[in-house]
Amino acid sequence: MLFHMSIAAKDPQHVASVIAELWGGEAKRFPPISDNGWIALARDDRGTCLEVYPQGTVLRETDGDFDAHGEPLGTDSFSPTHGAIATPLDREQVLAIARREGWPAKYRKRGGMFGVVELWIEGHQMMEVLTPEMQSEYLAAMGGYQRAPAAPAPQ
């Protein structure tokens, strides 16, 4: 079960606020890693949240009995990291939010199995947004995928 993850953004407060809007939740300051860190809270029964840090911030292990810390490195804005999030909104509402923000977005059918709105946060961070209909498709497709026997390891 995934409870939370983090992404980077040019404007962490704004991105956290838009994600919170998609969830029907709220955004709050979240400074443990960065003074400009924000968190989008879904306000669901699982405590789902998305931490948003300034672009270029990386997480580093801290020696001893201390939490990890953030460090600004100014790295590339593109990343293989992405997530799929649920929304109670319909496809047109999600696409309208994307248009309002100036973020690229389009409907895609992943592997012919389930639909997503492929949303590019600030034009560089992919997030798949699933409407209630898409969530049903995802659960049907991935439930069967997870129950399938594992492929043998290459020799």
Side-chain angles (χ1 to χ4, degrees):
M1 175 60 59
L2 180 67
F3 291 106
H4 76 265
M5 61 181 286
S6 62
I7 63 170
K10 293 175 193 167
D11 187 344
Q13 178 181 6
H14 185 74
V15 169
S17 296
V18 174
I19 297 298
E21 178 182 359
L22 289 167
W23 281 339
E26 70 174 308
K28 293 186 168 197
R29 282 197 74 247
F30 193 69
I33 299 296
S34 165
D35 289 340
N36 192 24
W38 284 79
I39 189 165
L41 304 164
R43 296 288 185 221
D44 61 10
D45 61 348
R46 298 177 195 263
T48 305
C49 53
L50 180 72
E51 299 169 18
V52 186
Y53 298 113
Q55 193 172 357
T57 301
V58 297
L59 295 177
R60 296 282 196 183
E61 178 184 8
T62 302
D63 290 334
D65 188 20
F66 300 99
D67 290 342
H69 66 277
E71 207 172 276
L73 288 185
T75 58
D76 189 16
S77 64
F78 288 94
S79 165
T81 303
H82 75 283
I85 63 173
T87 182
L89 305 177
D90 66 31
R91 182 193 320 183
E92 287 311 312
Q93 290 172 305
V94 173
L95 291 171
I97 290 170
R99 280 191 301 274
R100 180 192 75 207
E101 297 302 322
W103 297 349
K106 60 185 172 184
Y107 173 79
R108 304 297 305 147
K109 191 80 164 187
R110 297 291 193 227
M113 297 185 296
F114 58 90
V116 303
V117 174
E118 188 179 284
L119 175 69
W120 287 87
I121 297 169
E122 295 182 327
H124 72 90
Q125 174 67 60
M126 185 177 74
M127 188 66 65
E128 297 167 329
V129 182
L130 284 71
T131 65
E133 177 186 342
M134 296 171 197
Q135 294 167 46
S136 295
E137 293 173 348
Y138 178 88
L139 292 171
M142 296 308 288
Y145 185 77
Q146 291 190 41
R147 289 188 294 275
Q155 298 295 320

